[in-house]
Amino acid sequence: MAAVVVRCYKLSNPANVVFDEVHFGKFAGKYLNSTYFFDLHPPLAKMMFAAVGRLAGYDGVFDFKSIGLDYIAANVPYVAMRLMPALLGAATVPATYATVRACGYAMDTAALAALLVCVENGLVTQSRLILLDSPLVFFTVLTLLCWSMFWTVQDRPFSRVWWAWLLATGLTMGCAASCKWVAFFLIPTIGLSTLHDLWDKIADQSLSPARWSMHFGARAIALICMPVAVYIGWFYVHFAVLSTTGGDAAALSPEFQVTLDGAKQMVTDRDVYYGSEIRMRSTNARSGFLHSHLHPWQHDKGSGQQQVTIYSYADANNVWVVEPAYNRTVDTSQGLVPVRNGDVLRLRHKTTGRFLHSHDKRPAMSNDKNKFELSGYGFANFSGDSNDNFRVDILEGDPDIQGSATELQSIYSRFRLVHTNLHCMVFNSRKKLPKWAFEQIEVNCMRNCLPRMSTWHVEHAFHPNTTAGAPVRKASYRPLGMLGKIWEYNKLMADSNQNLIGDHPFAARPQHWPWLRRGTAYWGGPGRLIYQLGNPLIWWGSLAALAVFATVRMVLFLLDKRRIRLQLGGQRNQYISGAGFFALAWTCHYVPFFLMGRELFTHHYFPALWMAIIVMAFTVDLVTCRLPRLLRSAVYVAVAAAVLHAFHTFSYITYARTWTKDACLRAKWLPTWDLDCEHAIGGLKGTVPPVAEPVLVDSKPENGIDQAVPKAADQVSNDPKYVQPEFINLPLDNGSGNKMIQPQLVQALPADNDDQAHNEL
């Protein structure tokens, strides 16, 4: 009950969109409207928000566009949607108690651990908002609870209760992984524990090989097959619900897109001839089409010739005409001549008339000597030169389509374009170009590159001389099956995570997490703010407990070598096994982040924090186990009182309570805690300012001409060029602390002044 009160106290405050509710509230609406979207996290937690929203009457219309939007005015059942993660957060408290008891500890130690989880400000803050971390932590805790309970019934192998806890471990592990990929760290946690158990069983001479094999098979079914089936199952539900195409579908392969209702069904001429007009798509990157426009390269290393880029949308400037190589002809007297594997040809840009060209100039985004600029080259009465020549190397064709591996065919043939002079391949660098190239994607010519980013296919082909009424073979994309869609979507998620690299103002590296160097600002209003900051006494105490465990373990190891076996007051086996397992779990959930180059944030530490809290409770038990009962109780009360005092001190930024600037400044225990005390009473933003129109500070559209363009209020809120009078305009985050990034997809909106089909956008 106390946990419910702590999580649900003033849950309606603030009645505005906070931090990443911008994304996950919006995604709930997409589910309710069956509109496809992309997110870099698995679907379960988002679908849970959608289900609660539907039950509470949310119609999916409110778009959660920006931080600070008013829920009440839009009649959004936001309290019900926040209630779900709050109750899951509250449920972690009794689950913590049960976990500690399952490890063999007394009620007072279990109660202390539960209290520490209950009043941890960071976990409380995260569980009161429409965010994914509360479901993640809940299923992670539930997984380790089930695993701990499984160990209590080891003396009853293959009984119903034994199977129940083992299968429940796999089920909850799959659900955790279906919320966020951070839960994949449960795999080494449970896996190493399982391997240790099976290794011990090998030494058990009372266990026959057949019986050992049964133990192995049971764990394989429950801890491998079950989580995988659950993970795939939630994706089945995800795609069954999101059946209608949406804006994010542009990041998908064409084979995926055609499975969505309302998607354009591509049907084109199959055969590519000399003289055909073609549109080439980068096959594996899904970032768009080979493109050119009447603007020169402007970088210092460049030639100043016409830009060639990759553009995400189909328009007239993506069309190229297949022509014979320089100083060569083809005999068309007997009819159209198909392009074959190994042919050397040129591609003429239909709109500008210039040839695709490469030469010994460095590209815009690289100084690598193996990379060369691609450009459009040519002028009136000039027939070109040999640097326009490219060889078609077909890598593979569709095994069900005859000739697609020997003759160039739309959709079915995968090929590379090899420059005959420089021996480089047309390569998708996936790098965004500067504004002078309209922030489209760079394409260059690269030697010794792997096929993945140098593979292309023709998506559209048309020859103007095909005889009217004559049969023309057609090609179309084959829809992906469900497993193919799940595989592609997960690859897209991996690419998106990998590309989350930037300079977010609240990013924090792993070495800063355990000692709580800083938090994350979520929201600010007159006299109030939400700043996600943990309870410092719990964070520092849990870090100290991990250090104590490591020290004790090392000392015991050294003493054991000298045949001195300390029993730690009779607590040795219990402490080493219990704290050892959760220290291992902490290591598995913390250390891998050091290997990640992407942006990271303090909330990534929450699952590891819960495990450290368990070690902290075990360590307090160890330190006090030899004390008189009254003194031991006094220590427990003192620890509880200290963490409760700290919880109250920082409750103002947990619950967005009104406080003064002086109180805010006193709460800065560390100088690195960048609380915005100007939002407190007495600060510059601590009172409600007069109503004012948004002030345009600066506007530079992509054509470089300064303009003062009025914007609607709902377009202003996320624009850093505008000053909002009431709310902090914090950087938005997609659950990992960064703006949404579509992998290999830069949706360059109408910035390319020569493009003729922007009305299609």
Side-chain angles (χ1 to χ4, degrees):
M1 184 59 70
V4 172
V5 172
V6 168
R7 260 62 176 184
C8 298
Y9 173 71
K10 290 190 175 180
L11 199 58
S12 61
N13 179 38
N16 307 100
V17 177
V18 176
F19 195 54
D20 273 4
E21 291 184 335
V22 165
H23 298 299
F24 304 121
K26 174 183 67 178
F27 295 154
K30 297 284 189 180
Y31 278 114
L32 298 181
N33 295 322
S34 299
T35 303
Y36 175 84
F37 68 89
F38 172 79
D39 180 46
L40 54 79
H41 300 298
L44 176 56
K46 298 187 289 286
M47 291 193 294
M48 292 168 68
F49 283 118
V52 172
R54 170 60 63 87
L55 292 174
Y58 175 46
D59 57 8
V61 174
F62 183 74
D63 59 6
F64 295 82
K65 181 178 289 187
S66 61
I67 294 173
L69 289 182
D70 193 329
Y71 282 134
I72 296 176
N75 196 30
V76 179
Y78 73 102
V79 175
M81 296 177 72
R82 287 178 179 174
L83 181 62
M84 186 269 290
L87 293 178
L88 294 181
T92 61
V93 175
T96 301
Y97 179 90
T99 301
V100 175
R101 292 288 286 158
C103 292
Y105 281 85
M107 294 174 61
D108 55 355
T109 302
L112 177 63
L115 175 66
L116 295 175
V117 173
C118 182
V119 298
E120 204 299 291
N121 295 72
L123 293 175
V124 174
T125 301
Q126 208 76 0
S127 65
R128 290 169 48 82
L129 302 170
I130 306 173
L131 304 175
L132 306 186
D133 296 276
S134 185
L136 166 69
V137 172
F138 169 75
F139 285 116
T140 299
V141 171
L142 215 57
T143 299
L144 296 181
L145 168 61
C146 293
W147 186 242
S148 300
M149 294 300 296
F150 171 70
W151 275 89
T152 66
V153 293
Q154 286 292 294
D155 58 339
R156 288 178 281 169
F158 306 105
S159 64
R160 289 186 178 180
V161 66
W162 186 92
W163 273 110
W165 287 120
L166 183 60
L167 291 172
T169 301
L171 174 65
T172 51
M173 191 192 309
C175 288
S178 300
C179 291
K180 293 183 78 171
W181 275 3
V182 173
F184 281 171
F185 298 142
L186 286 169
I187 296 174
T189 302
I190 303 296
L192 290 173
S193 177
T194 301
L195 290 175
H196 183 271
D197 177 41
L198 291 174
W199 182 255
D200 286 344
K201 282 181 167 51
I202 288 180
D204 185 356
Q205 296 183 358
S206 66
L207 203 65
S208 67
R211 190 73 169 176
W212 186 92
S213 299
M214 292 175 61
H215 277 280
F216 178 87
R219 286 160 175 78
I221 292 171
L223 303 179
I224 298 176
C225 299
M226 172 69 81
V228 170
V230 170
Y231 185 80
I232 292 175
W234 287 122
F235 270 101
Y236 264 84
V237 177
H238 171 78
F239 289 125
V241 174
L242 300 181
S243 57
T244 305
T245 190
D248 290 352
L252 304 171
S253 69
E255 291 86 353
F256 194 131
Q257 292 184 46
V258 298
T259 66
L260 301 174
D261 296 339
K264 183 178 180 181
Q265 303 297 315
M266 175 60 64
V267 179
T268 185
D269 292 356
R270 178 191 297 186
D271 300 299
V272 177
Y273 303 102
Y274 286 94
S276 290
E277 299 174 2
I278 65 172
R279 186 169 65 234
M280 288 171 45
R281 177 186 280 271
S282 180
T283 299
N284 296 314
R286 299 178 297 274
S287 53
F289 305 92
L290 189 67
H291 175 94
S292 188
H293 42 232
L294 199 58
H295 292 278
W297 287 118
Q298 298 179 23
H299 57 102
D300 295 337
K301 305 167 291 183
S303 62
Q305 296 175 9
Q306 182 171 297
Q307 294 174 11
V308 174
T309 66
I310 292 177
Y311 187 55
S312 300
Y313 298 94
D315 76 6
N317 277 337
N318 301 338
V319 179
W320 302 81
V321 180
V322 180
E323 295 195 357
Y326 174 67
N327 279 343
R328 298 184 189 179
T329 60
V330 294
D331 183 7
T332 59
S333 60
Q334 303 299 316
L336 300 179
V337 178
V339 177
R340 293 183 172 85
N341 183 34
D343 280 6
V344 177
L345 49 74
R346 293 186 295 175
L347 294 177
R348 177 172 55 83
H349 190 240
K350 182 180 179 182
T351 304
T352 63
R354 294 173 177 170
F355 288 103
L356 182 68
H357 182 92
S358 190
H359 43 214
D360 193 11
K361 294 283 186 180
R362 300 283 82 79
M365 308 302 291
S366 176
N367 291 315
D368 190 333
K369 64 180 181 180
N370 289 313
K371 295 180 180 179
F372 305 92
E373 179 188 81
L374 275 180
S375 65
Y377 182 59
F379 44 87
N381 300 318
F382 177 69
S383 59
D385 61 33
S386 62
N387 277 335
D388 303 336
N389 289 348
F390 291 84
R391 185 180 71 249
V392 176
D393 285 353
I394 298 178
L395 301 177
E396 62 178 351
D398 190 317
D400 295 329
I401 305 298
Q402 185 177 3
S404 59
T406 56
E407 294 185 355
L408 186 60
Q409 296 185 3
S410 298
I411 296 177
Y412 304 130
S413 300
R414 300 292 191 261
F415 64 93
R416 303 169 89 180
L417 288 177
V418 182
H419 193 265
T420 56
N421 290 344
L422 296 174
H423 307 291
C424 57
M425 278 69 73
V426 178
F427 177 78
N428 180 354
S429 75
R430 295 182 291 172
K431 296 178 180 177
K432 184 190 295 187
L433 289 162
K435 287 187 178 296
W436 51 257
F438 312 109
E439 297 185 330
Q440 295 174 8
I441 299 296
E442 183 199 43
V443 59
N444 57 50
C445 198
M446 181 178 177
R447 288 175 179 158
N448 305 318
C449 59
L450 296 175
R452 182 168 180 255
M453 289 302 144
S454 60
T455 301
W456 301 79
H457 67 272
V458 175
E459 182 172 276
H460 174 78
F462 168 74
H463 197 291
N465 293 339
T466 51
T467 305
V472 177
R473 297 194 299 178
K474 296 294 183 180
S476 61
Y477 289 111
R478 293 182 176 179
L480 285 177
M482 183 61 74
L483 290 178
K485 292 168 67 173
I486 294 172
W487 176 251
E488 178 176 325
Y489 193 92
N490 278 264
K491 287 171 59 180
L492 207 58
M493 289 163 56
D495 287 342
S496 185
N497 273 284
Q498 185 179 1
N499 291 333
L500 282 175
I501 300 174
D503 55 354
H504 194 285
F506 291 102
R509 294 304 299 171
Q511 61 267 27
H512 299 147
W513 299 345
W515 60 279
L516 198 61
R517 181 179 181 271
R518 67 184 308 207
T520 307
Y522 278 7
W523 176 88
R528 302 174 297 157
L529 69 150
I530 296 178
Y531 184 88
Q532 183 269 304
L533 185 73
N535 187 317
L537 297 186
I538 295 176
W539 286 57
W540 299 336
S542 62
L543 179 61
L546 289 164
V548 168
F549 171 78
T551 303
V552 169
R553 192 69 187 87
M554 180 59 67
V555 169
L556 291 177
F557 175 77
L558 295 176
L559 291 177
D560 287 347
K561 286 295 184 181
R562 298 182 65 85
R563 298 185 179 181
I564 302 173
R565 187 169 180 83
L566 295 182
Q567 293 303 319
L568 302 179
Q571 300 295 311
R572 174 178 174 137
N573 291 339
Q574 185 180 57
Y575 179 70
I576 294 302
S577 61
F581 172 73
F582 285 98
L584 169 68
W586 177 85
T587 302
C588 292
H589 283 76
Y590 175 59
V591 172
F593 285 108
F594 286 93
L595 306 178
M596 299 182 188
R598 54 155 291 177
E599 277 192 326
L600 297 169
F601 298 84
T602 305
H603 61 253
H604 288 113
Y605 186 64
F606 283 155
L609 172 65
W610 180 83
M611 298 154 196
I613 289 174
I614 301 297
V615 177
M616 179 179 175
F618 291 171
T619 303
V620 172
D621 177 88
L622 177 69
V623 171
T624 61
C625 67
R626 302 288 288 180
L627 296 178
R629 184 175 184 84
L630 186 61
L631 185 56
R632 171 184 166 96
S633 299
V635 172
Y636 274 60
V637 170
V639 172
V643 298
L644 284 169
H645 172 73
F647 172 75
H648 177 266
T649 299
F650 297 100
S651 64
Y652 293 91
I653 56 177
T654 299
Y655 297 108
R657 296 172 59 195
T658 302
W659 66 346
T660 64
K661 182 177 180 180
D662 290 341
C664 177
L665 292 173
R666 287 196 301 271
K668 286 189 174 184
W669 292 6
L670 294 181
T672 53
W673 293 353
D674 43 3
L675 298 169
D676 185 5
C677 292
E678 294 302 326
H679 272 267
I681 299 298
L684 296 176
K685 307 169 189 174
T687 57
V688 181
V691 177
E693 292 296 323
V695 180
L696 180 62
V697 177
D698 172 52
S699 178
K700 281 188 178 293
E702 290 160 328
N703 60 11
I705 302 174
D706 290 344
Q707 299 178 8
V709 183
K711 293 190 177 183
D714 62 346
Q715 295 174 309
V716 168
S717 53
N718 280 326
D719 195 333
K721 298 171 183 155
Y722 288 84
V723 177
Q724 272 193 315
E726 295 187 31
F727 297 100
I728 299 175
N729 188 28
L730 301 172
L732 301 185
D733 178 270
N734 65 352
S736 299
N738 208 334
K739 294 181 180 179
M740 289 295 292
I741 297 177
Q742 297 292 358
Q744 300 98 36
L745 173 68
V746 177
Q747 296 188 3
L749 297 178
D752 182 352
N753 298 332
D754 283 332
D755 292 342
Q756 301 177 10
H758 287 302
N759 58 329
E760 296 181 7
L761 303 186

